[in-house]
């Protein structure tokens, strides 16, 4: 098996975020803030925390121009903030976009054909070796889930790793569900992931969260993966097909995950960051 260095992080952000209309009529979902920080910025910070990361491939949609603009530098605003001695804000502005030394490429997904198809759209732009995939609307606080995964990842043991969390039986149908073979501390060994299982059929209550480390042949596998759940090309189907060749682990990460593609998730994440100030009782009860 090749090197474990993850050089590329893929950010699938082509979705139109219709669930969060009207906000998403003009503002891409990934630019919606948790308190004052866009979801995209959290994902960029997480990508930057992967040791050896060199490249970001942002799989977006032509209509989401503001998302691409977020990567532009604004030297005039930066100079103005420095002149006004607003150094904290200037530092904050300077840290937006891709981290230093990380190249950003944009790829385009024209049609909503599923997460697997979105990842496939990045194929031509990735660097050599395993890739990370980060779904920005799955926000994990306060630790970097991707850094935890990169540390736990050992391609000699399993070439694929997906973030895992335990959910209630009524919830598992909203996720990919791990088909678990064994559990050793935070690491699950799985024989596949079943995408959005029908009620009563989930192989476990361990749900896949939007953080993946995948081998380069995921792209060939995605190219031959037939449409699955809801007629879309599912990343989990391609992952399951590669288990005999690579092995699959789930990592029960230490942070808390918020589904920021929903109103409740976005709100809960915002309260979480200011939990000393806002609704401490509600937070404590979670
Ligand atoms: C996607 C994946 C699913 C995963 C989920 C996590 O589903 O297909 O396996 O559990 O993200 O958020 P989506 O939420 O895009 O329908």
């Amino acid at each position: 098996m090749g090197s474990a260095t993850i050089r590329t992080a893929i950010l699938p952000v082509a979705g139109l975020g219709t669930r969060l209309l009207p906000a998403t009529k003009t503002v891409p979902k990934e630019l919606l803030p948790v308190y004052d920080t866009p979801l995209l910025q959290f994902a960029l910070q997480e990508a930057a925390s992967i040791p050896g990361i060199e490249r970001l491939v942002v799989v977006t949609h032509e209509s989401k121009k503001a998302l691409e603009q977020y990567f532009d530098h604004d030297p005039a605003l930066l100079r103005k903030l420095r002149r006004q001695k607003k150094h904290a804000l200037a530092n904050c502005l300077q840290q937006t976009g891709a981290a230093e030394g990380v190249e950003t490429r944009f790829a385009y997904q024209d049609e909503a054909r599923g997460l697997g198809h979105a990842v496939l759209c990045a194929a031509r732009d990735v660097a050599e070796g395993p890739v990370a995939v980060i779904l920005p609307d799955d926000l994990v606080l306060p630790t970097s889930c991707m850094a935890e995964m990169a540390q736990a990842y050992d391609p000699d043991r399993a070439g694929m790793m997906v973030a895992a969390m335990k959910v209630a039986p009524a919830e598992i149908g909203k996720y990919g569900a791990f088909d678990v073979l064994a559990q050793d501390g935070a690491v699950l060994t799985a024989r596949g992931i079943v995408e959005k299982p029908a009620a009563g059929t989930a192989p476990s209550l361990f749900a896949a969260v939007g953080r993946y480390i995948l081998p380069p042949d995921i792209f060939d596998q995605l190219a031959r993966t037939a449409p699955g759940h809801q007629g879309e090309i599912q990343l989990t189907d391609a992952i399951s097909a590669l288990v005999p060749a690579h092995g699959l682990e789930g990592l029960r990460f230490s942070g808390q995950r918020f589904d920021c593609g929903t109103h409740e998730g976005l709100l809960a994440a915002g309260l979480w960051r200011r939990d000393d100030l806002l609704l401490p009782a509600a937070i404590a009860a979670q």
Side-chain angles (χ1 to χ4, degrees), residues 115 135 138 174-176 195-196 207-210 212 234 236 257:
L115 177 59
L135 309 189
D138 264 356
K174 295 188 200 163
Y175 298 93
E195 186 64 22
K196 315 238 166 73
V209 170
Y212 309 79
Q234 298 296 342
T236 40
R257 176 259 189 188

